[in-house]
Amino acid sequence: MNGQNDILEALYRRMILVRFMEETHDRLLKEGKIQLMGHFGTGQEAVAVGVTGPLRQEDILFGTHRGVGEFIGKGMAPKDIWLEYMGKKDSPCHGKGGLHLCDRERNIPGLVATLGSDFSIAVGTALASKMKGTDQVTLYFVGEGTCNQADAHPSMCMAALWKLPIVFSVCTNQFCELSYMCDHYPTGDVAPRAAAYDIPFEIVDGQDIEKTYEATRKAVEHARGGNGPYLVEYKTYRMATHFSGDPGTYVNRDELEEWGRRDPIVLCREMLLERGILSEEEDRKLRDGIQAEVDEAVEAAFAAPDPGIEDLFKDVYSGEGVIQ
Amino acid sequence: MSRTITFSQALNEAMAEEMRRDPGVFVMGEDVRVSAFGQTAGLVDEFGEERVLNTPIAENAITGAAMGAAMSGLRPVLELMFMDFTMLAMDQLCNNLGQWRYITGGQYTIPLTIRTACGAGMRMGYGHSQCLQSQLIQAPGLMIVEPSTPYDAKGLLKAAIRSDDPVIVVESKKLIFGGVEGEVPEEDYTLPFGEAVVRKEGKDVTVAAVGFMTYEALGAAQALAEEGVDVEVIDLRSIVPMDKETLFASVEKTGRLVTVEEGRIRGGIGAEIAALASGEYFSLLKAPVQRVAAPMVPIAGSPALEDLYLPNKDTIVRAVRRTL
Ligand SMILES: Cc1ncc(C[n+]2csc(CCOP(=O)(O)OP(=O)(O)O)c2C)c(N)n1
């Protein structure tokens, strides 16, 4: 990363924020304080934060259901996330989004519920950027399980055919809901599918923040330069179960432990300490500060008002009237 | 000044004029450059390939791509060639398209127009002939209009393109292929959604028809006039929103209601209108509401069977008699 210590430190900070946000979510669920189930991305922070690191504010991000990683990475405020998760009136979606985070200011157009529907929607935002002559890039972040949706193919096809500024970032976390990837794929990798559409691709270690960032930076640059789409596959491991209510009976414990030794936050921390970018003391302070930030955001969201009947019929259509 | 043009020409003019007026408007779909049925023919000569975009054959994905472009502020006019094919895009149409604005709390609007051709009688068989409007009326956030004259076609399509909401414009193949002509002004105009038109006034029975069926209803009214029955024919023009006021005013006068649509009877538009009438003005009704619609069978290849399947003037006459 050419000695860009500041970037590395910022990425590290974001990874911790993501981890703490999700740990807090888990705790609030267990305490019965919030209702929205969580799909945590523990162990995948270097992917979510690494892929969003090279994006500009005007770039467009489509994220996934798995945790808050890419949303934090794209700059969404913890408070807005909690407001949305708790369904509060002043959330970016005025209590309508729930799990489905959206933040227009940061060019996050929303998160679909039906996996893979947004493959083509992302192609559409990239098409618009090209037609309007902007130099925005769309980054489509997706799990390997979702890449089996039929629309993956015409979407990659259109992106290549029209040479669109889009990066497909595939987060291969070894699981597709309650089963292993090998139940879903006859191959070990997803990325070579891009070759069918003449889309260049790369497979990288998803535990190493320098690698995820750098591979994505190159891909984004490629797309921004008018060279068409690029696909990057990141190999990582879902250290959480599928969702907060899943006991994970199907998880191979030895494997989990083995991947746990390559926890991306621990790896990044060791690197920062080793290179003298961060001291133990600074790290402790950093973590305390981040937890305080999360707690403060949670408190503010708890105190915020719920939407009411006046919001139920609002924003179905652009006009004022109610259409039944 | 007005002149006589065909239904198809009216649609073509609407798109051309809107593309001239607003550089954000563009047409996309399967073979829209050559245009299988002629509605988009010639547009490519004036506007170029970039604004008349041929797409791969992938209805759900091209609908998603059009949505994405619309989210980014463009105004795509997407053609889904046959209404039967809209079923391949049901995920986008029913899960996402009409709900995006609401779920994002109004942060994103989707000014997308989708044109699709419906209807039997062309001997095209089971998967190229259906009227599936009622499949779409359950989806919140969509507007659905169905013109029956060139004047309405142009006015409604132009309004759809300018609308900030997603609008589905249903075009009957009998009107396109039948070369139906009508007076259309040369000056710019749009028509509002949710306004039905009384095509023939009458005092005995209200017949509320959708799209091409308006002509069959007018034929039935003429036949019934010879028997001394004075039928009022309403052309709904807009399925969502429905013009409840015009319907109510008519039934208030006649006390008898017959609905006519080309789609199938179960859970159809007629069922919706009948439920509305019995729920909101039951006491005005002098007879049970009668529904004229297609039976719950597929559309056969045999011309003889296809003709037996279709609602027509005679089935409408019989339904009207049942209310007397
Ligand atoms: C169309 C659709 N099918 C199934 C689901 C249920 N579902 C939710 S998450 C998930 C697993 C997705 O796997 P992957 O894309 O690898 O992402 P991961 O959960 O591993 O992050 C499934 C099957 C869904 N939400 N939508």
Side-chain angles (χ1 to χ4, degrees), chain A residues 144 170 172 181 185-193 201 203 233 235:
Chain A
E144 83 272 40
V170 181
T172 296
M181 184 190 177
Y185 278 85
T187 53
D189 302 320
V190 181
R193 291 183 179 191
F201 65 88
I203 300 174
E233 180 176 1
K235 299 291 192 184

Side-chain angles (χ1 to χ4, degrees), chain A residues 39-40 44 64-66 112-117 142-147 149 171-178 184 238 242, chain B residues 91:
Chain A
H39 301 77
F40 304 123
Q44 307 178 193
T64 83
H65 57 283
R66 187 145 306 286
V112 294
T114 42
L115 293 175
S117 295
V142 63
E144 83 272 40
T146 303
C147 291
Q149 284 289 1
C171 179
T172 296
N173 65 4
Q174 315 307 324
F175 293 97
C176 306
E177 204 175 54
L178 312 180
H184 297 247
R238 192 191 77 195
H242 172 55
Chain B
D91 169 42

